Amino acid sequence: MTDYRIQGSTGEWEVVIGLEVHAQVTSNAKLFSGAATAFGAEPNTQVSLVDAAMPGMLPVPNRECIRQAVRTGMAIDAQINRWSRFDRKNYFYADLPQGYQISQLYHPLVGEGAVEIAPDEKLPDVTKTIGVERIHVEQDAGKLMHDQHPTRSYVDLNRSGVALMEIVSRPDMRSPAEAGAYLRKLRSVLRYVGSCDGNMEEGSMRADVNVSVRKPGPISSENPLGTRTETKNVNSVRFVMAVVEGEAKRQVALLEDGGRVVQETRLYDPDRNETRSMRSKEDAHDYRYFPDPDLLPLELDDAFLDECRASLPELPDAKRKRYETAGVTPYNAGVLTAEVETARWFDALLDEGAPAGPASNWVTGELFGALNRLGKSIGESPVTPNRAAALLALVADGTLSGSLAKQVFEVMLDTGQDPAAIVEERGLKQTSDTGAIEAVIADVLAKNQGQLEQYRGGKEALFGFFVGQTMKAMAGKANPGVVNALLKKALG
């Protein structure tokens, strides 16, 4: 795998990337209160006294939030810490009612793990392992909403106290493509596990992008890692890749012009496709972390961990290998396992008896093409897995040719009907009647004497012309294999 390089006036530069992904935990209540977490509610309608930091209110950990974070850690083969602790991260901001955020700095719930990525989806077997340093749970802050009035802002505390997993990668990525692949794979894992819905456009998953540049070569005291910047709250894979490329080029230009990179927090402006400085980057001591006195340490027992592990589904990598073993190409297997909804639909298709190889080609070709045209997700497909299996079976047993199957499929998309009923109603059954096919072939040859003479004179490429004319005369209902065999016989 060739590393991504930025060409500057002083030669090539290597980009070093780490991501801190904030994923909202799937739960009906917040991390330390019973308030609801539904997206899109009216401002300040999902706020408990705990979330609003009323005097005397004490936080109580939500067991489901802890369970989901542990399951996520298990899904990336991470170390699960049986003993962890909550800390207070102290800072003042208008949308933080407590004046601190409850997080985990010194003793996180989940330790080191790894995510395997394929940076080029066309080369699914060329992989790279990205280390995960930790996963800790913390509460989200509220949201400031700015009015048109230049001196007025409003605070919505609906998100205050919502449970987040902060998934911190190692600085192991070296290109925008790797950063994008890592974020897509991580989102896929979270969706399979069910610990986060991964809807970046709704803010339930967002990434802080850490970027630095250095000269290529082993990391050493002479050539250390460069000073990094952190671009906050990037909410799409495409934007993450744009941040990496743009910020790396900005740093290279700055360094080559004799300047220096300052450790700072930046924001991404997608309209201008650029990052801009927000504030100097704080260190941990600036937040005056200390153990939260209102919360006991978390201690996980064997029964809880066993239940978490037993609840995990088949994960993307295992599913992909199972598909490949069943005859699916590596590329198709990667496409089919990228999103959990697609994998579930395909599994249902296989459960109906569809052969894995042909079924995967049909799903990634015909079905995806139709759904893209209709603007529908696979969960909204007008064709169910059992009816798709029935259509593939009609092709396999010779009832339908490929072209007839396309016609039947189009009717299925419009009506949702059973394919056998469509074939019967519309007379679309493929024929292998040799007598009928021979009669049509004789007529085709009689009407195309010029082409027949050219073919017999050595222009064998015209064989396809005769096949096409025969199939056209039979409205696509002739068995192509039979047509080919009988044409060869008739042409001598």
Side-chain angles (χ1 to χ4, degrees):
M1 189 182 304
T2 303
D3 283 340
Y4 172 82
R5 293 284 190 266
I6 292 176
Q7 185 64 48
S9 59
T10 62
E12 291 186 334
W13 293 79
E14 177 183 66
V15 58
V16 179
I17 309 142
L19 296 183
E20 299 170 17
V21 175
H22 294 82
Q24 180 175 329
V25 177
T26 302
S27 64
N28 293 325
K30 296 182 180 180
L31 182 55
F32 298 116
S33 81
T37 59
F39 177 78
E42 288 295 312
N44 295 311
T45 58
Q46 299 182 160
V47 186
S48 74
L49 296 177
V50 173
D51 307 324
M54 290 295 104
M57 295 297 103
L58 294 174
V60 178
N62 181 338
R63 183 182 189 275
E64 179 62 15
C65 295
I66 304 304
R67 174 180 173 273
Q68 292 284 36
V70 169
R71 294 174 70 246
T72 302
M74 290 176 170
I76 61 169
D77 292 326
Q79 173 188 333
I80 307 301
N81 296 323
R82 290 171 175 267
W83 191 96
S84 62
R85 189 186 71 195
F86 289 105
D87 303 299
R88 288 187 181 181
K89 178 181 182 181
N90 296 274
Y91 65 96
F92 174 79
Y93 206 64
D95 60 9
L96 192 70
Q98 295 157 309
Y100 59 84
Q101 178 189 33
I102 302 176
S103 183
Q104 294 183 310
L105 175 67
Y106 299 110
H107 300 281
L109 184 63
V110 178
E112 293 196 0
V115 174
E116 187 177 86
I117 64 169
D120 185 346
E121 62 181 18
K122 295 179 181 179
L123 301 170
D125 292 328
V126 180
T127 62
K128 180 175 180 177
T129 299
I130 307 300
V132 172
E133 180 182 306
R134 56 192 278 143
I135 302 176
H136 64 259
V137 290
E138 63 185 21
Q139 58 179 178
D140 204 354
K143 180 181 180 182
L144 279 179
M145 298 186 297
H146 305 290
D147 195 0
Q148 297 288 339
H149 195 285
T151 61
R152 185 176 298 160
S153 293
Y154 299 92
V155 179
D156 177 11
L157 295 180
N158 279 350
R159 289 194 64 85
S160 178
V162 165
L164 300 177
M165 294 179 287
E166 182 167 344
I167 305 166
V168 183
S169 83
R170 293 286 185 189
D172 291 343
M173 290 161 271
R174 293 293 183 271
S175 71
E178 289 183 6
Y182 171 80
L183 194 55
R184 281 191 295 268
K185 182 64 171 289
L186 186 60
R187 183 175 60 183
S188 176
V189 170
L190 295 176
R191 285 176 164 171
Y192 270 76
V193 171
S195 58
C196 175
D197 63 24
N199 291 330
M200 300 188 75
E201 66 279 4
E202 293 181 1
S204 58
M205 183 174 169
R206 50 195 192 269
D208 297 344
V209 186
N210 292 284
V211 176
S212 65
V213 296
R214 62 189 294 276
K215 287 296 185 177
I219 297 171
S220 65
S221 57
E222 290 78 28
N223 188 20
L225 291 173
T227 301
R228 65 185 173 90
T229 62
E230 179 183 46
T231 303
K232 298 286 286 186
N233 294 326
V234 185
N235 65 353
S236 82
V237 173
R238 181 166 60 89
F239 289 166
V240 164
M241 295 172 70
V243 166
V244 170
E245 184 169 10
E247 180 59 14
K249 288 180 178 178
R250 184 192 72 85
Q251 292 183 20
V252 167
L254 184 64
L255 291 168
E256 292 193 332
D257 199 36
R260 67 184 184 90
V261 177
V262 177
Q263 184 173 320
E264 63 181 348
T265 298
R266 300 181 70 84
L267 289 178
Y268 176 63
D269 183 342
D271 295 327
R272 297 184 177 182
N273 190 29
E274 64 183 22
T275 65
R276 59 175 181 267
S277 181
M278 179 183 175
R279 61 175 183 264
S280 62
K281 175 66 178 171
E282 301 91 344
D283 292 314
H285 64 262
D286 294 319
Y287 291 109
R288 306 186 320 281
Y289 280 95
F290 63 85
D292 193 304
D294 292 335
L295 289 160
L296 291 171
L298 292 173
E299 297 188 31
L300 310 181
D301 60 24
D302 288 339
F304 178 78
L305 295 176
D306 290 345
E307 186 276 325
C308 289
R309 194 172 299 281
S311 72
L312 290 177
E314 182 182 38
L315 294 166
D317 288 346
K319 195 177 288 287
R320 178 174 53 79
K321 289 173 183 174
R322 173 165 64 85
Y323 288 171
E324 290 180 18
T325 301
V328 178
T329 65
Y331 176 78
N332 279 355
V335 171
L336 292 168
T337 56
E339 294 291 344
V340 65
E341 294 85 359
T342 303
R344 286 172 181 160
W345 202 97
F346 187 66
D347 277 338
L349 181 60
L350 297 183
D351 289 343
E352 293 289 338
S360 70
N361 292 332
W362 182 82
V363 169
T364 57
E366 295 295 325
L367 181 62
F368 280 5
L371 293 176
N372 186 56
R373 189 173 72 244
L374 296 172
K376 293 181 180 291
S377 69
I378 198 162
E380 301 167 320
S381 173
V383 177
T384 59
N386 65 323
R387 292 201 163 159
L391 176 64
L392 292 169
L394 292 175
V395 175
D397 68 13
T399 301
L400 292 176
S401 64
S403 60
L404 287 175
K406 289 177 188 285
Q407 294 180 47
V408 173
F409 178 51
E410 288 300 321
V411 178
M412 292 169 72
L413 288 169
D414 288 336
T415 67
Q417 270 184 292
D418 180 76
I422 296 169
V423 169
E424 192 64 33
E425 285 176 11
R426 307 198 179 205
L428 294 174
K429 187 177 293 187
Q430 177 175 265
T431 181
S432 297
D433 182 340
T434 56
I437 295 173
E438 283 175 336
V440 171
I441 288 174
D443 185 56
V444 166
L445 296 183
K447 290 178 178 177
N448 295 278
Q449 286 295 315
Q451 287 86 347
L452 180 60
E453 289 177 12
Q454 291 179 55
Y455 177 84
R456 287 176 172 163
K459 198 171 181 180
E460 295 184 358
L462 283 169
F463 185 80
F465 166 79
F466 293 116
V467 171
Q469 291 298 305
T470 304
M471 295 299 291
K472 182 179 178 181
M474 299 196 72
K477 296 178 184 178
N479 184 312
V482 175
V483 168
N484 274 271
L486 294 178
L487 259 174
K488 287 177 182 176
K489 179 181 176 184
L491 291 168

